[in-house]
Amino acid sequence: MIALIQRVSSAHVEVEGESIGAIGAGLLALVAVEPGDGEAQARRMVERLLGYRVFADEAGKMNRSLTDTGGGLLLVSQFTLAADTRKGMRPSFTSAAAPEEGRLWFDRLVDLARAAYPGVETGRFGAHMMVHLCNDGPVTFHLEVR
């Protein structure tokens, strides 16, 4: 499972002009499910999303997690993160989970995150989404769970 996380001052997702998920300060996580991902990867990714220290402490060092700050978490499915881009001029998506498997484990990730933390918002799996964000820093990290 892959997540591209961005520390944001705000973020929201629109589908067909309707806002379906929005947060203030916190993390936007674009998430891709890979073949073979399952319960262990979903659980570990939630731990990392909630515990990864990307927020400044009193000394200005990245020493505080989402759990420490109480910020929002916006989870957005994005299978293109799993693309194989090593050769050619067109990405291959054979390294991304099939849509049914992707939906199953993305939904499980959302359920686990909501059970562990308040303030979790989402995009809409499989929809054409407009993701609006104000990246704070900018701060962006690529997380992988195998």
Side-chain angles (χ1 to χ4, degrees):
M1 190 171 284
I2 302 167
L4 183 73
I5 62 171
Q6 298 179 72
R7 186 178 72 188
V8 298
S9 57
S10 65
H12 72 276
V13 179
E14 293 179 12
V15 173
E16 297 177 1
E18 175 189 354
S19 183
I20 62 167
I23 61 169
L27 289 179
L28 166 63
L30 304 172
V31 179
V33 176
E34 298 175 289
D37 282 348
E39 186 72 18
Q41 290 76 21
R43 286 185 180 278
R44 179 66 177 135
M45 185 59 80
V46 168
E47 289 175 11
R48 295 198 77 198
L49 292 171
L50 299 180
Y52 211 65
R53 297 181 302 168
V54 299
F55 298 94
D57 64 13
E58 299 76 27
K61 296 192 187 267
M62 284 189 198
N63 229 0
R64 299 181 75 212
S65 68
L66 191 63
T67 301
D68 296 331
T69 64
L73 176 60
L74 179 56
L75 298 171
V76 176
S77 63
Q78 186 176 352
F79 77 96
T80 61
L81 284 175
D84 182 351
T85 60
R86 292 176 288 181
K87 61 182 181 180
M89 299 301 286
R90 184 169 184 259
S92 168
F93 298 108
T94 58
S95 51
E100 306 80 31
E101 183 182 5
R103 180 185 301 270
L104 173 74
W105 293 112
F106 179 77
D107 287 349
R108 180 64 177 147
L109 176 76
V110 170
D111 290 344
L112 290 167
R114 286 183 169 153
Y117 190 77
V120 176
E121 297 281 329
T122 68
R124 183 173 299 148
F125 189 94
H128 182 96
M129 295 176 274
M130 302 299 289
V131 181
H132 304 268
L133 67 132
C134 185
N135 192 317
D136 179 14
V139 172
T140 303
F141 292 96
H142 181 262
L143 302 179
E144 290 189 40
V145 174
R146 302 277 178 205

